[in-house]
């Protein structure tokens, strides 16, 4: 399969690994938002978050939590963002599901997304629609 992350897992492409177990690999992002930016991926290829089997998702998120503190300490970060881009519209460029752990620093000037406002009754309609679809 022509997947960059599968090639990293197979050792066909180099990576700066920070963690590995039977089912999961974590390595430094080649183009970090901040230094210490880590990607956590399952070794088995799934295109996106929605395709992940729940048992593997649980293992992944536990690893994400385990790595977060050491990542912050290693680069002296004050916080971190946990990001998962799902689908092209959300900015997903590599279609092998991955969590980003992005170290954040006080005053690093990475501004969060702007907020929108709801019109009257829109909140209630959208909330009801989501509830119905679950
Ligand atoms: P996405 O936009 O799909 O959520 O994020 C993909 C991430 O993978 C990007 O942050 C990008 O810098 C990183 N990336 C792309 N190719 C490589 C690579 O070959 N090696 C590493 N370590 N990271 C990569
Ligand atoms: Zn892959």
């Amino acid at each position: 399969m022509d997947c960059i992350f599968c090639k990293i897992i197979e050792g066909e492409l180099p990576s700066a690994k920070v963690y590995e177990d039977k089912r999961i690999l974590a390595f430094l992002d080649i183009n970090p938002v901040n230094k210490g930016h880590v990607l956590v991926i399952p070794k088995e290829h799934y295109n996106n978050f929605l395709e992940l089997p729940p048992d593997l998702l649980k293992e992944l998120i536990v690893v994400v939590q385990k790595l977060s503190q050491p990542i912050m300490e290693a680069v002296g970060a004050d916080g971190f963002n946990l990001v998962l881009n799902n689908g092209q519209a959300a900015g997903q460029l590599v279609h092998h599901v991955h969590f980003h752990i992005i170290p954040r620093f006080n005053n690093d000037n990475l501004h969060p997304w702007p907020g929108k406002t709801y019109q009257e009754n829109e909140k209630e309609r959208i909330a009801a629609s989501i509830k119905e679809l679950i």
Side-chain angles (χ1 to χ4, degrees), residues 4-5 8 13-16 27-33 37 39 83-86 90-96 98 100:
I4 291 175
F5 289 176
I8 286 175
L13 284 176
S15 69
F27 51 96
L28 294 182
D29 194 298
I30 206 168
N31 188 208
V33 174
H37 178 167
L39 302 173
V83 173
L84 187 146
N85 298 322
N86 199 76
Q92 185 179 1
L93 296 174
V94 177
H95 295 275
H96 181 130
H98 51 282
H100 296 252

PDB file of all heavy atoms in Angstrom, residues 4-5 8 13-16 27-33 37 39 83-86 90-96 98 100, ligand 1:
ATOM      1  N   ILE A   4       2.554   6.519   3.529  1.00  0.00           N
ATOM      2  CA  ILE A   4       3.801   6.964   4.170  1.00  0.00           C
ATOM      3  C   ILE A   4       3.967   6.356   5.562  1.00  0.00           C
ATOM      4  O   ILE A   4       5.049   5.911   5.939  1.00  0.00           O
ATOM      5  CB  ILE A   4       3.793   8.509   4.298  1.00  0.00           C
ATOM      6  CG1 ILE A   4       3.904   9.160   2.921  1.00  0.00           C
ATOM      7  CG2 ILE A   4       4.930   8.994   5.170  1.00  0.00           C
ATOM      8  CD1 ILE A   4       3.768  10.682   2.985  1.00  0.00           C
ATOM      9  N   PHE A   5       2.878   6.342   6.327  1.00  0.00           N
ATOM     10  CA  PHE A   5       2.989   5.852   7.704  1.00  0.00           C
ATOM     11  C   PHE A   5       3.197   4.337   7.741  1.00  0.00           C
ATOM     12  O   PHE A   5       3.924   3.829   8.604  1.00  0.00           O
ATOM     13  CB  PHE A   5       1.776   6.282   8.535  1.00  0.00           C
ATOM     14  CG  PHE A   5       1.756   7.765   8.853  1.00  0.00           C
ATOM     15  CD1 PHE A   5       0.680   8.331   9.533  1.00  0.00           C
ATOM     16  CD2 PHE A   5       2.803   8.598   8.481  1.00  0.00           C
ATOM     17  CE1 PHE A   5       0.652   9.690   9.835  1.00  0.00           C
ATOM     18  CE2 PHE A   5       2.791   9.968   8.767  1.00  0.00           C
ATOM     19  CZ  PHE A   5       1.700  10.508   9.453  1.00  0.00           C
ATOM     20  N   ILE A   8       6.775   3.908   7.257  1.00  0.00           N
ATOM     21  CA  ILE A   8       7.512   4.190   8.500  1.00  0.00           C
ATOM     22  C   ILE A   8       7.453   2.971   9.426  1.00  0.00           C
ATOM     23  O   ILE A   8       8.459   2.549   9.999  1.00  0.00           O
ATOM     24  CB  ILE A   8       6.956   5.471   9.177  1.00  0.00           C
ATOM     25  CG1 ILE A   8       7.418   6.707   8.382  1.00  0.00           C
ATOM     26  CG2 ILE A   8       7.389   5.562  10.641  1.00  0.00           C
ATOM     27  CD1 ILE A   8       6.854   8.026   8.864  1.00  0.00           C
ATOM     28  N   LEU A  13      10.851   3.880   5.557  1.00  0.00           N
ATOM     29  CA  LEU A  13      11.155   5.312   5.691  1.00  0.00           C
ATOM     30  C   LEU A  13      11.629   5.552   7.117  1.00  0.00           C
ATOM     31  O   LEU A  13      11.119   4.932   8.054  1.00  0.00           O
ATOM     32  CB  LEU A  13       9.908   6.156   5.422  1.00  0.00           C
ATOM     33  CG  LEU A  13       9.458   6.329   3.970  1.00  0.00           C
ATOM     34  CD1 LEU A  13       8.153   7.109   3.919  1.00  0.00           C
ATOM     35  CD2 LEU A  13      10.529   7.044   3.151  1.00  0.00           C
ATOM     36  N   PRO A  14      12.594   6.464   7.309  1.00  0.00           N
ATOM     37  CA  PRO A  14      13.100   6.716   8.665  1.00  0.00           C
ATOM     38  C   PRO A  14      12.110   7.549   9.484  1.00  0.00           C
ATOM     39  O   PRO A  14      11.274   8.265   8.920  1.00  0.00           O
ATOM     40  CB  PRO A  14      14.378   7.513   8.411  1.00  0.00           C
ATOM     41  CG  PRO A  14      14.167   8.176   7.098  1.00  0.00           C
ATOM     42  CD  PRO A  14      13.254   7.298   6.286  1.00  0.00           C
ATOM     43  N   SER A  15      12.207   7.427  10.802  1.00  0.00           N
ATOM     44  CA  SER A  15      11.412   8.294  11.681  1.00  0.00           C
ATOM     45  C   SER A  15      12.108   8.364  13.028  1.00  0.00           C
ATOM     46  O   SER A  15      12.870   7.464  13.387  1.00  0.00           O
ATOM     47  CB  SER A  15       9.994   7.744  11.861  1.00  0.00           C
ATOM     48  OG  SER A  15      10.031   6.555  12.616  1.00  0.00           O
ATOM     49  N   ALA A  16      11.839   9.444  13.760  1.00  0.00           N
ATOM     50  CA  ALA A  16      12.390   9.588  15.116  1.00  0.00           C
ATOM     51  C   ALA A  16      11.349   9.017  16.071  1.00  0.00           C
ATOM     52  O   ALA A  16      10.432   9.707  16.524  1.00  0.00           O
ATOM     53  CB  ALA A  16      12.672  11.056  15.408  1.00  0.00           C
ATOM     54  N   PHE A  27       6.006   8.723  16.845  1.00  0.00           N
ATOM     55  CA  PHE A  27       7.241   9.312  16.323  1.00  0.00           C
ATOM     56  C   PHE A  27       7.052  10.809  16.137  1.00  0.00           C
ATOM     57  O   PHE A  27       5.924  11.312  16.109  1.00  0.00           O
ATOM     58  CB  PHE A  27       7.644   8.653  14.989  1.00  0.00           C
ATOM     59  CG  PHE A  27       6.536   8.613  13.975  1.00  0.00           C
ATOM     60  CD1 PHE A  27       6.431   9.600  12.997  1.00  0.00           C
ATOM     61  CD2 PHE A  27       5.591   7.606  13.993  1.00  0.00           C
ATOM     62  CE1 PHE A  27       5.398   9.574  12.072  1.00  0.00           C
ATOM     63  CE2 PHE A  27       4.547   7.566  13.059  1.00  0.00           C
ATOM     64  CZ  PHE A  27       4.451   8.553  12.099  1.00  0.00           C
ATOM     65  N   LEU A  28       8.184  11.517  16.003  1.00  0.00           N
ATOM     66  CA  LEU A  28       8.116  12.968  15.849  1.00  0.00           C
ATOM     67  C   LEU A  28       7.571  13.336  14.475  1.00  0.00           C
ATOM     68  O   LEU A  28       7.978  12.750  13.459  1.00  0.00           O
ATOM     69  CB  LEU A  28       9.497  13.605  16.021  1.00  0.00           C
ATOM     70  CG  LEU A  28      10.140  13.527  17.402  1.00  0.00           C
ATOM     71  CD1 LEU A  28      11.476  14.265  17.395  1.00  0.00           C
ATOM     72  CD2 LEU A  28       9.234  14.119  18.481  1.00  0.00           C
ATOM     73  N   ASP A  29       6.673  14.313  14.444  1.00  0.00           N
ATOM     74  CA  ASP A  29       6.194  14.861  13.178  1.00  0.00           C
ATOM     75  C   ASP A  29       7.366  15.558  12.476  1.00  0.00           C
ATOM     76  O   ASP A  29       8.127  16.304  13.098  1.00  0.00           O
ATOM     77  CB  ASP A  29       5.061  15.862  13.448  1.00  0.00           C
ATOM     78  CG  ASP A  29       4.292  16.223  12.188  1.00  0.00           C
ATOM     79  OD1 ASP A  29       4.899  16.794  11.256  1.00  0.00           O
ATOM     80  OD2 ASP A  29       3.082  15.946  12.138  1.00  0.00           O
ATOM     81  N   ILE A  30       7.476  15.305  11.166  1.00  0.00           N
ATOM     82  CA  ILE A  30       8.609  15.827  10.397  1.00  0.00           C
ATOM     83  C   ILE A  30       8.547  17.352  10.247  1.00  0.00           C
ATOM     84  O   ILE A  30       9.560  18.010  10.020  1.00  0.00           O
ATOM     85  CB  ILE A  30       8.646  15.133   9.012  1.00  0.00           C
ATOM     86  CG1 ILE A  30      10.048  15.115   8.423  1.00  0.00           C
ATOM     87  CG2 ILE A  30       7.652  15.733   8.049  1.00  0.00           C
ATOM     88  CD1 ILE A  30      10.191  14.189   7.216  1.00  0.00           C
ATOM     89  N   ASN A  31       7.347  17.890  10.408  1.00  0.00           N
ATOM     90  CA  ASN A  31       7.131  19.327  10.190  1.00  0.00           C
ATOM     91  C   ASN A  31       6.312  19.870  11.374  1.00  0.00           C
ATOM     92  O   ASN A  31       5.145  20.204  11.246  1.00  0.00           O
ATOM     93  CB  ASN A  31       6.377  19.487   8.858  1.00  0.00           C
ATOM     94  CG  ASN A  31       6.247  20.913   8.411  1.00  0.00           C
ATOM     95  OD1 ASN A  31       5.297  21.248   7.720  1.00  0.00           O
ATOM     96  ND2 ASN A  31       7.169  21.758   8.810  1.00  0.00           N
ATOM     97  N   PRO A  32       6.974  19.945  12.553  1.00  0.00           N
ATOM     98  CA  PRO A  32       6.228  20.173  13.794  1.00  0.00           C
ATOM     99  C   PRO A  32       5.597  21.554  13.911  1.00  0.00           C
ATOM    100  O   PRO A  32       6.194  22.545  13.490  1.00  0.00           O
ATOM    101  CB  PRO A  32       7.306  19.999  14.870  1.00  0.00           C
ATOM    102  CG  PRO A  32       8.574  20.376  14.189  1.00  0.00           C
ATOM    103  CD  PRO A  32       8.434  19.897  12.766  1.00  0.00           C
ATOM    104  N   VAL A  33       4.417  21.595  14.499  1.00  0.00           N
ATOM    105  CA  VAL A  33       3.791  22.873  14.852  1.00  0.00           C
ATOM    106  C   VAL A  33       4.642  23.541  15.927  1.00  0.00           C
ATOM    107  O   VAL A  33       4.916  24.741  15.878  1.00  0.00           O
ATOM    108  CB  VAL A  33       2.341  22.643  15.364  1.00  0.00           C
ATOM    109  CG1 VAL A  33       1.737  23.935  15.879  1.00  0.00           C
ATOM    110  CG2 VAL A  33       1.476  22.040  14.253  1.00  0.00           C
ATOM    111  N   HIS A  37       6.356  17.828  18.711  1.00  0.00           N
ATOM    112  CA  HIS A  37       5.079  17.410  18.110  1.00  0.00           C
ATOM    113  C   HIS A  37       5.176  15.931  17.716  1.00  0.00           C
ATOM    114  O   HIS A  37       6.011  15.545  16.919  1.00  0.00           O
ATOM    115  CB  HIS A  37       4.839  18.310  16.886  1.00  0.00           C
ATOM    116  CG  HIS A  37       3.610  18.042  16.097  1.00  0.00           C
ATOM    117  ND1 HIS A  37       3.149  18.922  15.149  1.00  0.00           N
ATOM    118  CD2 HIS A  37       2.733  17.004  16.060  1.00  0.00           C
ATOM    119  CE1 HIS A  37       2.051  18.458  14.582  1.00  0.00           C
ATOM    120  NE2 HIS A  37       1.788  17.281  15.114  1.00  0.00           N
ATOM    121  N   LEU A  39       3.274  12.146  16.587  1.00  0.00           N
ATOM    122  CA  LEU A  39       2.145  11.466  15.959  1.00  0.00           C
ATOM    123  C   LEU A  39       2.036  10.070  16.557  1.00  0.00           C
ATOM    124  O   LEU A  39       3.046   9.374  16.691  1.00  0.00           O
ATOM    125  CB  LEU A  39       2.360  11.360  14.445  1.00  0.00           C
ATOM    126  CG  LEU A  39       2.564  12.684  13.712  1.00  0.00           C
ATOM    127  CD1 LEU A  39       2.930  12.437  12.248  1.00  0.00           C
ATOM    128  CD2 LEU A  39       1.318  13.563  13.811  1.00  0.00           C
ATOM    129  N   VAL A  83      -4.897  16.577  18.780  1.00  0.00           N
ATOM    130  CA  VAL A  83      -5.617  16.872  17.531  1.00  0.00           C
ATOM    131  C   VAL A  83      -5.760  15.613  16.707  1.00  0.00           C
ATOM    132  O   VAL A  83      -4.842  14.781  16.650  1.00  0.00           O
ATOM    133  CB  VAL A  83      -4.832  17.945  16.722  1.00  0.00           C
ATOM    134  CG1 VAL A  83      -5.443  18.148  15.337  1.00  0.00           C
ATOM    135  CG2 VAL A  83      -4.763  19.263  17.475  1.00  0.00           C
ATOM    136  N   LEU A  84      -6.911  15.470  16.093  1.00  0.00           N
ATOM    137  CA  LEU A  84      -7.084  14.413  15.093  1.00  0.00           C
ATOM    138  C   LEU A  84      -7.856  15.018  13.939  1.00  0.00           C
ATOM    139  O   LEU A  84      -8.993  15.466  14.117  1.00  0.00           O
ATOM    140  CB  LEU A  84      -7.834  13.221  15.693  1.00  0.00           C
ATOM    141  CG  LEU A  84      -7.918  12.000  14.769  1.00  0.00           C
ATOM    142  CD1 LEU A  84      -7.876  10.705  15.553  1.00  0.00           C
ATOM    143  CD2 LEU A  84      -9.161  12.047  13.882  1.00  0.00           C
ATOM    144  N   ASN A  85      -7.218  15.105  12.786  1.00  0.00           N
ATOM    145  CA  ASN A  85      -7.881  15.638  11.605  1.00  0.00           C
ATOM    146  C   ASN A  85      -8.575  14.481  10.892  1.00  0.00           C
ATOM    147  O   ASN A  85      -7.916  13.518  10.497  1.00  0.00           O
ATOM    148  CB  ASN A  85      -6.858  16.291  10.675  1.00  0.00           C
ATOM    149  CG  ASN A  85      -6.161  17.465  11.336  1.00  0.00           C
ATOM    150  OD1 ASN A  85      -6.782  18.224  12.082  1.00  0.00           O
ATOM    151  ND2 ASN A  85      -4.873  17.613  11.098  1.00  0.00           N
ATOM    152  N   ASN A  86      -9.874  14.581  10.764  1.00  0.00           N
ATOM    153  CA  ASN A  86     -10.608  13.480  10.132  1.00  0.00           C
ATOM    154  C   ASN A  86     -11.204  13.936   8.806  1.00  0.00           C
ATOM    155  O   ASN A  86     -12.141  14.725   8.787  1.00  0.00           O
ATOM    156  CB  ASN A  86     -11.719  12.973  11.049  1.00  0.00           C
ATOM    157  CG  ASN A  86     -12.174  11.580  10.636  1.00  0.00           C
ATOM    158  OD1 ASN A  86     -11.482  10.608  10.906  1.00  0.00           O
ATOM    159  ND2 ASN A  86     -13.279  11.486   9.951  1.00  0.00           N
ATOM    160  N   ALA A  90     -11.093  18.500   6.974  1.00  0.00           N
ATOM    161  CA  ALA A  90     -10.554  18.828   8.301  1.00  0.00           C
ATOM    162  C   ALA A  90      -9.033  18.947   8.270  1.00  0.00           C
ATOM    163  O   ALA A  90      -8.405  19.140   9.314  1.00  0.00           O
ATOM    164  CB  ALA A  90     -10.981  17.760   9.301  1.00  0.00           C
ATOM    165  N   GLY A  91      -8.450  18.807   7.083  1.00  0.00           N
ATOM    166  CA  GLY A  91      -6.999  18.966   6.969  1.00  0.00           C
ATOM    167  C   GLY A  91      -6.221  17.669   7.059  1.00  0.00           C
ATOM    168  O   GLY A  91      -5.004  17.690   7.226  1.00  0.00           O
ATOM    169  N   GLN A  92      -6.919  16.529   6.954  1.00  0.00           N
ATOM    170  CA  GLN A  92      -6.186  15.257   7.002  1.00  0.00           C
ATOM    171  C   GLN A  92      -5.443  15.053   5.686  1.00  0.00           C
ATOM    172  O   GLN A  92      -6.051  14.971   4.619  1.00  0.00           O
ATOM    173  CB  GLN A  92      -7.146  14.077   7.238  1.00  0.00           C
ATOM    174  CG  GLN A  92      -6.386  12.760   7.418  1.00  0.00           C
ATOM    175  CD  GLN A  92      -7.293  11.560   7.687  1.00  0.00           C
ATOM    176  OE1 GLN A  92      -8.512  11.678   7.726  1.00  0.00           O
ATOM    177  NE2 GLN A  92      -6.674  10.406   7.872  1.00  0.00           N
ATOM    178  N   LEU A  93      -4.117  14.999   5.789  1.00  0.00           N
ATOM    179  CA  LEU A  93      -3.278  14.830   4.596  1.00  0.00           C
ATOM    180  C   LEU A  93      -2.797  13.394   4.456  1.00  0.00           C
ATOM    181  O   LEU A  93      -2.627  12.897   3.348  1.00  0.00           O
ATOM    182  CB  LEU A  93      -2.057  15.765   4.673  1.00  0.00           C
ATOM    183  CG  LEU A  93      -2.376  17.265   4.659  1.00  0.00           C
ATOM    184  CD1 LEU A  93      -1.112  18.074   4.900  1.00  0.00           C
ATOM    185  CD2 LEU A  93      -3.028  17.656   3.338  1.00  0.00           C
ATOM    186  N   VAL A  94      -2.555  12.746   5.580  1.00  0.00           N
ATOM    187  CA  VAL A  94      -2.103  11.349   5.548  1.00  0.00           C
ATOM    188  C   VAL A  94      -3.275  10.477   5.984  1.00  0.00           C
ATOM    189  O   VAL A  94      -3.778  10.596   7.106  1.00  0.00           O
ATOM    190  CB  VAL A  94      -0.889  11.139   6.481  1.00  0.00           C
ATOM    191  CG1 VAL A  94      -0.485   9.670   6.485  1.00  0.00           C
ATOM    192  CG2 VAL A  94       0.285  12.012   6.037  1.00  0.00           C
ATOM    193  N   HIS A  95      -3.684   9.600   5.081  1.00  0.00           N
ATOM    194  CA  HIS A  95      -4.895   8.817   5.338  1.00  0.00           C
ATOM    195  C   HIS A  95      -4.575   7.480   6.005  1.00  0.00           C
ATOM    196  O   HIS A  95      -4.967   6.413   5.544  1.00  0.00           O
ATOM    197  CB  HIS A  95      -5.710   8.693   4.050  1.00  0.00           C
ATOM    198  CG  HIS A  95      -6.217  10.041   3.618  1.00  0.00           C
ATOM    199  ND1 HIS A  95      -7.377  10.595   4.107  1.00  0.00           N
ATOM    200  CD2 HIS A  95      -5.661  10.979   2.831  1.00  0.00           C
ATOM    201  CE1 HIS A  95      -7.527  11.808   3.604  1.00  0.00           C
ATOM    202  NE2 HIS A  95      -6.496  12.070   2.830  1.00  0.00           N
ATOM    203  N   HIS A  96      -3.826   7.608   7.087  1.00  0.00           N
ATOM    204  CA  HIS A  96      -3.572   6.526   8.042  1.00  0.00           C
ATOM    205  C   HIS A  96      -3.827   7.207   9.385  1.00  0.00           C
ATOM    206  O   HIS A  96      -3.084   8.124   9.758  1.00  0.00           O
ATOM    207  CB  HIS A  96      -2.121   6.043   7.900  1.00  0.00           C
ATOM    208  CG  HIS A  96      -1.735   4.911   8.809  1.00  0.00           C
ATOM    209  ND1 HIS A  96      -1.103   3.755   8.358  1.00  0.00           N
ATOM    210  CD2 HIS A  96      -1.859   4.760  10.148  1.00  0.00           C
ATOM    211  CE1 HIS A  96      -0.862   2.953   9.389  1.00  0.00           C
ATOM    212  NE2 HIS A  96      -1.314   3.549  10.492  1.00  0.00           N
ATOM    213  N   HIS A  98      -4.219   9.036  12.747  1.00  0.00           N
ATOM    214  CA  HIS A  98      -3.159   9.417  13.698  1.00  0.00           C
ATOM    215  C   HIS A  98      -3.645  10.535  14.614  1.00  0.00           C
ATOM    216  O   HIS A  98      -4.367  11.421  14.198  1.00  0.00           O
ATOM    217  CB  HIS A  98      -1.902   9.885  12.967  1.00  0.00           C
ATOM    218  CG  HIS A  98      -2.156  10.929  11.920  1.00  0.00           C
ATOM    219  ND1 HIS A  98      -2.656  10.632  10.676  1.00  0.00           N
ATOM    220  CD2 HIS A  98      -1.998  12.273  11.930  1.00  0.00           C
ATOM    221  CE1 HIS A  98      -2.793  11.736   9.979  1.00  0.00           C
ATOM    222  NE2 HIS A  98      -2.404  12.757  10.715  1.00  0.00           N
ATOM    223  N   HIS A 100      -2.349  13.733  16.835  1.00  0.00           N
ATOM    224  CA  HIS A 100      -1.233  14.662  17.009  1.00  0.00           C
ATOM    225  C   HIS A 100      -1.192  15.056  18.482  1.00  0.00           C
ATOM    226  O   HIS A 100      -2.218  15.444  19.043  1.00  0.00           O
ATOM    227  CB  HIS A 100      -1.477  15.972  16.247  1.00  0.00           C
ATOM    228  CG  HIS A 100      -1.558  15.855  14.756  1.00  0.00           C
ATOM    229  ND1 HIS A 100      -0.567  16.317  13.933  1.00  0.00           N
ATOM    230  CD2 HIS A 100      -2.529  15.364  13.941  1.00  0.00           C
ATOM    231  CE1 HIS A 100      -0.922  16.124  12.661  1.00  0.00           C
ATOM    232  NE2 HIS A 100      -2.114  15.555  12.636  1.00  0.00           N
TER     233      HIS A 100
HETATM  234  P1  LIG B   1      -2.655  15.363   8.959  1.00  0.00           P
HETATM  235  O1  LIG B   1      -2.747  16.685   8.246  1.00  0.00           O
HETATM  236  O2  LIG B   1      -2.913  14.199   8.021  1.00  0.00           O
HETATM  237  O3  LIG B   1      -3.472  15.305  10.203  1.00  0.00           O
HETATM  238  O4  LIG B   1      -1.171  15.275   9.459  1.00  0.00           O
HETATM  239  C1  LIG B   1      -0.156  14.607   8.793  1.00  0.00           C
HETATM  240  C2  LIG B   1       1.128  14.934   9.510  1.00  0.00           C
HETATM  241  O5  LIG B   1       2.126  14.019   9.091  1.00  0.00           O
HETATM  242  C3  LIG B   1       1.658  16.341   9.206  1.00  0.00           C
HETATM  243  O6  LIG B   1       1.757  17.081  10.416  1.00  0.00           O
HETATM  244  C4  LIG B   1       3.013  16.089   8.559  1.00  0.00           C
HETATM  245  O7  LIG B   1       3.998  17.017   8.952  1.00  0.00           O
HETATM  246  C5  LIG B   1       3.360  14.681   9.006  1.00  0.00           C
HETATM  247  N1  LIG B   1       4.163  13.935   8.058  1.00  0.00           N
HETATM  248  C6  LIG B   1       3.945  13.811   6.735  1.00  0.00           C
HETATM  249  N2  LIG B   1       4.877  13.021   6.173  1.00  0.00           N
HETATM  250  C7  LIG B   1       5.708  12.631   7.175  1.00  0.00           C
HETATM  251  C8  LIG B   1       6.874  11.800   7.217  1.00  0.00           C
HETATM  252  O8  LIG B   1       7.333  11.246   6.227  1.00  0.00           O
HETATM  253  N3  LIG B   1       7.456  11.633   8.433  1.00  0.00           N
HETATM  254  C9  LIG B   1       6.958  12.207   9.563  1.00  0.00           C
HETATM  255  N4  LIG B   1       7.611  11.973  10.696  1.00  0.00           N
HETATM  256  N5  LIG B   1       5.867  12.991   9.557  1.00  0.00           N
HETATM  257  C10 LIG B   1       5.243  13.207   8.386  1.00  0.00           C
END
